[in-house]
Amino acid sequence: MSSESPSDQSPTQDELDLLHYELRINRPVRMKIPEFLRDERLRHVIFSGQFNVDMLEELGGIADKIRVLSKMREGQDFLIKLLHHKRAMLYFTQPSTRTFLSFMSACQILGITCNEVRDPTTSSETKGETRFDSIRMFSSYFDLIIMRSKLARLAESCAYLMNDLSETGNRSVPIINAGSGADEHPTQALLDIYTLQRTFQFTDPKDSPITTRFDELRSEYPELTRGLSNKVYGFCGDIGRGRTVRSLASLLTNYENVTLIFIAPNDPTLALKDDLRQRLADQGVRMHEVESFEDQIDGIPVIEQLDALYMTRIQKEHNDPNDEKHFAELDLSRYKLSQSLVSRMKTFAPILHPFPRDQHFGEIPPEIDDDPRAMYFRQARNGMWIRAALLATIFGVHHQITSFFHEEYGGVNDRVRMTNAK
Ligand code: NCD
């Protein structure tokens, strides 16, 4: 099967398989979360809603340790032996550069052997095999399936398939969602959170016991606190179709006193979707939807209020041909960053972007790359460390990393010190 779009004719077995899981899919996330655990440990990673602040802190701490250990030969040798008996399938039927490569690098750090299917026309799906049969086959040969698909619920359905197999005494492996349609991209949200955790520690290699970067910032911003709480987060661009925005916004609701500002055209395709708006409202999150960085909230332009800015590209590959004319009429220039806008942002406020950025649209022009607030390249590298931490947690070797780290570093468990490791 080369196309992932549902057909107009009688349902295919793939579609029937998805329908079979529909009842389970339509339950509230909190009811599903226990099913993605095994023995209290993370097993399948499907939604960002599976993670709470303690888990995010723990994962960030493990990522920091992997990062530091990877700088030394002994550390690399230790890490690469941890999971060298495991094999992973990267089943990516939607384009990917960073997610694919950073998962592969994360596997390599821990010694996991990787294999990939990226083009379903090279697999037996062209001979009529269903995706669910393909997945079950992968689970026969591999110990983990990392998957990206255009179909929003495929990864979730595969997690149920694996759980059902395990209940009937069959082989079953963890599923990681590496991007599901326009719905969720939980591991991108993990790397975004990890980047924010590191940024909002406000440490600097030049910090001394007398003055630190944080002290200096506090003289300029007296209300500033360390950590992800008490912050204003801006999301700009294609909010409606950005699965990374959906996953990150959900994760940020775990933190105290956050404000989310969505800066997007007032357009049904590009603006915040009703379901996410409702979910955020139900959680009592403070949020605003504006059409421009210049719009004011409490008399102050949005661009000057942000503690972090998450830029996104306009995902025009998903445009409906019927909407092209309407899209051409929208003024999208307001969803591009410029040096003059950046100069009005808070001096510490990181600029993130899940990437790829669109050189033709230019939501972040390259002249901003040298600004110390431009975090997107570091953010992408953070993906490798946090994904390695996630894999170590799923396979239960994270405690070994912590113990080895303490042996090497004499019990130092100070994220501030580790923050300085690039
Ligand atoms: C994003 C995605 O695929 O959702 N990229 C990524 O995984 N880093 C965002 C995008 O494609 O714009």
Side-chain angles (χ1 to χ4, degrees):
M1 179 176 304
S2 57
S3 157
E4 296 206 9
S5 58
S7 83
D8 298 332
Q9 293 116 36
S10 55
T12 61
Q13 188 58 43
D14 263 328
E15 285 159 351
L16 291 173
D17 285 339
L18 276 172
L19 275 175
H20 167 74
Y21 294 113
E22 201 170 74
L23 271 181
R24 286 194 252 179
I25 285 170
N26 289 336
R27 293 170 302 163
V29 170
R30 74 190 138 69
M31 285 179 68
K32 308 174 184 180
I33 290 173
E35 295 174 19
F36 301 143
L37 303 173
R38 187 187 270 183
D39 303 331
E40 314 263 303
R41 205 174 67 225
L42 207 55
R43 177 159 174 82
H44 306 297
V45 177
I46 308 298
F47 311 111
S48 60
Q50 290 175 251
F51 296 88
N52 58 35
V53 173
D54 288 345
M55 291 163 88
L56 295 171
E57 276 301 308
E58 189 182 0
L59 277 173
I62 299 162
D64 280 344
K65 293 180 183 75
I66 294 175
R67 177 183 213 121
V68 174
L69 291 173
S70 294
K71 285 173 164 280
M72 316 180 293
R73 188 59 201 258
E74 306 90 288
Q76 288 170 11
D77 290 347
F78 163 77
L79 290 168
I80 209 162
K81 288 199 191 104
L82 277 177
L83 293 171
H84 67 177
H85 55 300
K86 299 286 183 196
R87 288 187 294 275
M89 162 52 73
L90 281 82
Y91 179 50
F92 275 57
T93 54
Q94 233 194 345
S96 174
T97 305
R98 275 146 293 273
T99 307
F100 180 84
L101 291 177
S102 69
F103 260 120
M104 188 173 256
S105 309
C107 286
Q108 287 163 347
I109 289 170
L110 298 170
I112 303 174
T113 308
C114 296
N115 238 297
E116 63 187 77
V117 168
R118 303 197 68 173
D119 177 0
T121 62
T122 64
S123 84
S124 286
E125 288 182 27
T126 51
K127 302 181 191 168
E129 181 161 79
T130 67
R131 290 190 189 81
F132 290 91
D133 276 355
S134 297
I135 294 284
R136 189 167 173 183
M137 287 305 140
F138 297 154
S139 75
S140 308
Y141 307 133
F142 298 94
D143 303 292
L144 168 73
I145 299 169
I146 305 167
M147 58 187 290
R148 165 173 287 202
S149 167
K150 259 193 207 171
L151 288 181
R153 298 302 184 196
L154 188 62
E156 182 178 352
S157 305
C158 291
Y160 298 138
L161 169 70
M162 290 299 137
N163 285 356
D164 292 349
L165 285 170
S166 137
E167 279 194 6
T168 49
N170 287 296
R171 190 175 154 80
S172 152
V173 304
I175 302 282
I176 299 183
N177 176 5
S180 49
D183 184 42
E184 278 251 15
H185 193 347
T187 65
Q188 175 71 40
L190 292 179
L191 75 94
D192 297 337
I193 291 282
Y194 180 48
T195 304
L196 292 167
Q197 286 171 340
R198 291 174 63 82
T199 308
F200 291 149
Q201 283 166 26
F202 298 117
T203 57
D204 190 278
K206 294 193 214 94
D207 281 353
S208 76
I210 299 150
T211 53
T212 65
R213 171 152 190 261
F214 186 58
D215 299 326
E216 283 162 27
L217 285 170
R218 284 270 285 211
S219 59
E220 203 178 341
Y221 305 101
E223 310 281 299
L224 187 65
T225 56
R226 284 199 160 110
L228 276 74
S229 297
N230 312 312
K231 301 272 178 317
V232 178
Y233 296 93
F235 293 88
C236 173
D238 195 341
I239 304 303
R241 293 181 290 190
R243 56 190 174 193
T244 67
V245 171
R246 292 171 66 82
S247 293
L248 179 58
S250 303
L251 268 193
L252 286 171
T253 63
N254 284 316
Y255 293 89
E256 300 283 319
N257 191 28
V258 298
T259 303
L260 306 182
I261 306 182
F262 298 97
I263 305 130
N266 183 9
D267 170 271
T269 305
L270 301 174
L272 189 65
K273 290 275 181 283
D274 291 341
D275 67 325
L276 182 58
R277 184 185 298 111
Q278 191 58 51
R279 202 161 4 118
L280 296 173
D282 290 346
Q283 286 171 300
V285 179
R286 207 164 36 240
M287 78 183 154
H288 303 273
E289 288 175 70
V290 299
E291 285 183 61
S292 155
F293 287 123
E294 300 297 348
D295 286 357
Q296 300 198 352
I297 297 172
D298 298 331
I300 304 170
V302 163
I303 190 71
E304 295 168 26
Q305 298 205 24
L306 302 177
D307 293 307
L309 171 60
Y310 197 86
M311 294 297 293
T312 64
R313 72 188 172 88
I314 306 292
Q315 300 195 14
K316 55 182 184 314
E317 74 274 25
H318 300 306
N319 283 3
D320 183 328
N322 301 322
D323 287 343
E324 290 293 353
K325 186 167 168 289
H326 160 69
F327 265 78
E329 284 160 7
L330 291 174
D331 175 13
L332 297 178
S333 63
R334 291 193 275 189
Y335 310 102
K336 295 180 194 185
L337 215 45
S338 64
Q339 271 179 322
S340 78
L341 279 168
V342 173
S343 70
R344 291 165 57 203
M345 289 174 63
K346 291 182 182 171
T347 53
F348 61 82
I351 302 165
L352 295 102
H353 191 309
F355 266 37
R357 62 177 155 183
D358 180 353
Q359 57 172 319
H360 307 293
F361 180 69
E363 69 275 17
I364 302 186
E367 53 270 24
I368 293 172
D369 296 358
D370 291 334
D371 191 290
R373 288 164 287 194
M375 211 54 71
Y376 25 92
F377 287 106
R378 264 182 272 176
Q379 180 189 357
R381 184 164 164 80
N382 284 340
M384 177 172 74
W385 306 122
I386 202 76
R387 287 179 169 123
L390 184 69
L391 298 173
T393 305
I394 289 172
F395 287 117
V397 294
H398 50 307
H399 296 309
Q400 291 180 48
I401 295 176
T402 306
S403 310
F404 183 83
F405 183 87
H406 287 166
E407 277 163 31
E408 290 298 311
Y409 285 90
V412 175
N413 186 15
D414 179 356
R415 290 197 67 187
V416 170
R417 171 183 163 176
M418 290 188 281
T419 299
N420 297 329
K422 286 285 178 303

